[in-house]
């Protein structure tokens, strides 16, 4: 009877620990991380709040993330897909539930293999994206194109661009207006200035839109030599910050960057692509924020931007997601504890067996 009780208690403890570790790492861990985040407030002096301290109706709450890189059929291992896509889905759904943004921008590289995926694989990737980033009608989701979605400049063609635009039901270069705030979405993959047909089409559209801009969103950052001036816990690793960027590959060319600044004179630029955070001031008056990747596949500490924007002002804050190393540590600690519990169980059972044999021997 005692032996049966020990087995029962061990089984209950085992199930409890495994269940607790799983529920915490796969569901609960996102809540304390995102609960630390809040919408930044616009100062009353800059016209962001009313006399009662509440945001005016013209304030837009925008959530900005980048570089989700949903893995494809060619290079994506099934476990890598499962692990990282589940992380992004839970993080996104938790953020929507807790923060309730009015609009969400994803700054390109939605897919990892869009530039070469077959139609069948493309449709599967799109289906998974819509499942992961599902949202209510209260939130508008706006997606920008990146080089992994349609290929680098030398790889892109009309078929891949139009396939992307058809899925997301919008032109890749356009203005989205919310409460009087104009967000310019730029197909930065096509801004190489070499006269390619797609480049000419995008530049023509940008010139038409150049008088309506408030904020600019794009995948490629504007030209900068490197990340040497970038600081913060989500910046590139110290040993990578001084690596020189390649124009038209890591960043836009100098020429394309200057043309965008001259055409639009944006008060804020948001970009992705590098997978790391950075703040740059171009020409001493045009601020650019590089938004880090949203996926554990690209960095241990993903994050996203919370932006409060009005027609006259804006303010930003950064929201960090749980670190992947934390989840690994929790699972490793739980595994080590279960191993110790198993060894202790074996020792106890061995002791009980010895007592039983001893009792039988005395009775004989």
């Amino acid at each position: 009877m005692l032996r049966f009780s020990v087995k029962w208690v061990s089984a209950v403890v085992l199930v409890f620990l495994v269940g607790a570790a799983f529920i915490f790492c796969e569901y609960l861990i996102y809540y304390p991380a995102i609960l630390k985040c809040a919408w930044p407030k616009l100062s009353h002096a800059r016209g962001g709040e009313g006399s009662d301290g509440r945001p005016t109706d013209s304030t837009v709450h925008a959530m900005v993330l980048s570089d989700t890189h949903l893995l494809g059929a060619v290079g994506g291992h099934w476990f890598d897909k499962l692990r990282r896509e589940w992380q992004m889905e839970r993080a996104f759904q938790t953020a929507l539930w807790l923060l309730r943004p009015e609009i969400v921008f994803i700054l390109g590289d939605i897919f990892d293999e869009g530039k070469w995926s077959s139609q069948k694989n493309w449709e599967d990737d799109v289906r998974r994206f819509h499942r992961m980033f599902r949202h209510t009608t209260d939130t508008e989701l706006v997606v920008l194109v990146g080089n992994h979605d349609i290929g680098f400049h030398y790889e892109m063609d009309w078929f891949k661009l139009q396939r992307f635009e058809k899925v997301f039901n919008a032109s890749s270069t356009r203005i989205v207006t919310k409460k009087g705030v104009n967000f310019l979405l730029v197909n930065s993959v096509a801004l190489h200035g070499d006269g390619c047909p797609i480049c000419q089409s995008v530049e023509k559209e940008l010139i038409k839109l150049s008088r309506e801009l408030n904020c600019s969103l794009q995948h490629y950052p504007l030209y900068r030599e490197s990340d040497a001036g970038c600081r913060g816990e989500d910046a590139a690793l110290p040993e990578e910050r001084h690596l020189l960027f390649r124009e038209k590959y890591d960043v836009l060319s100098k020429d394309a960057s200057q043309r965008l600044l001259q055409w639009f004179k944006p008060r804020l630029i948001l970009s992705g692509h590098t997978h790391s955070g950075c703040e740059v001031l171009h020409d001493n008056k045009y601020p650019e924020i590089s938004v880090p990747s949203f996926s554990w596949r690209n960095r241990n500490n993903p994050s996203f931007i919370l932006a409060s924007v009005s027609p006259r002002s804006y303010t930003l804050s950064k929201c960090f997601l749980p670190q992947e190393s934390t989840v690994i540590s929790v699972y490793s600690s739980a595994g080590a504890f279960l191993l110790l519990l198993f060894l202790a169980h074996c020792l106890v059972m061995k002791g009980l067996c010895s007592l039983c044999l001893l009792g039988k021997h005395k009775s004989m």
Side-chain angles (χ1 to χ4, degrees), residues 82 88 106 153 216:
L82 176 68
M88 289 191 287
I106 306 182
H153 173 261
S216 173

Side-chain angles (χ1 to χ4, degrees), residues 289-339:
I289 308 296
S290 289
V291 181
S293 174
F294 193 66
S295 172
W296 275 343
R297 188 168 186 263
N298 297 319
R299 57 183 308 110
N300 181 50
N301 60 337
S303 61
F304 57 90
I305 296 289
L306 294 176
S308 297
V309 190
S310 74
R312 289 185 290 167
S313 183
Y314 71 86
T315 184
L316 310 175
S317 66
K318 192 167 289 184
C319 185
F320 284 91
L321 300 176
Q323 296 186 7
E324 185 177 31
S325 57
T326 300
V327 173
I328 293 172
S329 296
V330 171
Y331 275 130
S332 299
S333 300
F337 185 79
L338 289 174
L339 179 60

Side-chain angles (χ1 to χ4, degrees), residues 26-27 49-50 79 91 121 142-143 148 158 164 177 191-192 209 214 240 250 257 260 297 317 326 328 339 347 350:
E26 306 305 329
Y27 290 92
E49 295 183 349
F79 185 75
N121 292 334
V142 179
V143 173
H148 276 266
W158 284 112
F164 185 92
T177 302
L191 290 181
H192 281 225
L209 299 173
N214 281 341
E240 297 176 353
D250 299 311
S257 300
L260 279 177
R297 188 168 186 263
S317 66
T326 300
I328 293 172
L339 179 60
L347 290 174
K350 184 177 179 181

Side-chain angles (χ1 to χ4, degrees), residues 89-230:
E89 180 176 351
R90 292 317 315 152
F92 184 76
Q93 295 302 323
T94 304
L96 285 192
W97 190 71
L98 293 177
L99 299 170
R100 302 189 182 281
E102 297 168 74
I103 189 166
V104 177
F105 295 99
I106 306 182
L107 305 183
D109 279 2
I110 311 304
F111 308 108
D112 198 57
E113 299 177 3
K115 56 187 178 181
W116 62 54
S117 60
S118 67
Q119 188 61 28
K120 181 178 180 300
N121 292 334
W122 169 261
E123 290 172 357
D124 179 64
D125 292 346
V126 169
R127 177 188 56 78
R128 290 180 3 251
F129 172 84
H130 285 309
R131 185 202 70 227
M132 293 164 57
F133 294 94
R134 61 191 181 275
H135 55 93
T136 66
T137 55
D138 295 333
T139 299
E140 182 179 359
L141 179 64
V142 179
V143 173
L144 282 74
V145 69
N147 56 287
H148 276 266
D149 303 313
I150 61 172
F152 283 99
H153 173 261
Y154 61 87
E155 297 172 305
M156 70 175 178
D157 55 41
W158 284 112
F159 171 75
K160 286 182 280 192
L161 178 59
Q162 290 170 354
R163 181 172 70 171
F164 185 92
E165 291 179 339
K166 181 180 179 181
V167 164
F168 296 106
N169 195 31
S171 168
S172 60
T173 297
R174 67 191 191 277
I175 284 181
V176 172
T177 302
K178 201 85 171 173
K179 296 182 178 178
V181 179
N182 295 321
F183 298 93
L184 174 70
L185 314 183
V186 178
N187 177 0
S188 52
V189 182
L191 290 181
H192 281 225
D194 61 356
C196 77
I198 296 178
C199 301
Q200 289 180 330
S201 174
V202 167
E203 290 190 19
K204 183 179 179 181
E205 188 64 28
L206 286 173
I207 292 172
K208 286 169 55 179
L209 299 173
S210 62
R211 295 183 180 180
E212 304 177 45
L213 174 70
N214 281 341
C215 299
S216 173
L217 300 102
Q218 59 201 44
H219 181 64
Y220 277 112
L222 296 185
Y223 175 79
R224 61 178 184 261
E225 287 188 352
S226 68
D227 272 348
C230 304

Side-chain angles (χ1 to χ4, degrees), residues 340-355:
L340 291 174
L341 184 66
F342 175 74
L343 293 175
H345 172 77
C346 291
L347 290 174
V348 170
M349 295 304 297
K350 184 177 179 181
L352 289 176
C353 289
S354 298
L355 288 174

